[in-house]
Amino acid sequence: FPKSAKFIRGLLFESDVENIFADIQNSLDRQSTFEYIRRFKTKQGGPVWILVHGVSIRNGDTVSITGSFTDLTKMRDNEELR
């Protein structure tokens, strides 16, 4: 993932990088879906909580990953207020 990994890494908090890339690698190894909730950085550097759901497929040397990001920040903030 040279270009995409560099871009995504810039959106992550350093303490979360290892876990996220391990999740993606496990998905590649199993050729299965992945789903997790992790913190990402806003342009201002603050946290947003994102549900990441995707699937990775390896075909020889070619790797494809597709999926979606859903912002859960407001829902998470509301839960913390209860």
Side-chain angles (χ1 to χ4, degrees):
F1 317 102
K3 288 183 182 178
S4 9
K6 185 177 179 181
F7 172 75
I8 291 172
R9 187 181 181 110
L11 299 174
L12 303 174
F13 287 90
E14 194 60 37
S15 59
D16 296 335
V17 169
E18 189 175 316
N19 289 334
I20 290 174
F21 282 95
D23 289 339
I24 293 170
Q25 187 62 53
N26 288 336
S27 173
L28 280 170
D29 293 344
R30 294 185 329 269
Q31 291 195 24
S32 65
T33 62
F34 55 91
E35 183 174 280
Y36 49 85
I37 298 172
R38 295 286 193 264
R39 296 178 305 163
F40 283 72
K41 292 180 190 176
T42 65
K43 289 181 182 180
Q44 295 76 24
V48 291
W49 291 93
I50 303 292
L51 168 65
V52 179
H53 180 84
V55 63
S56 56
I57 301 167
R58 183 185 304 268
N59 185 1
D61 291 338
T62 303
V63 174
S64 299
I65 298 176
T66 187
S68 63
F69 289 170
T70 304
D71 186 347
L72 300 179
T73 305
K74 286 183 182 178
M75 183 184 343
R76 187 173 176 95
D77 290 347
N78 288 336
E79 288 175 4
E80 288 179 3
L81 293 174
R82 291 181 194 170

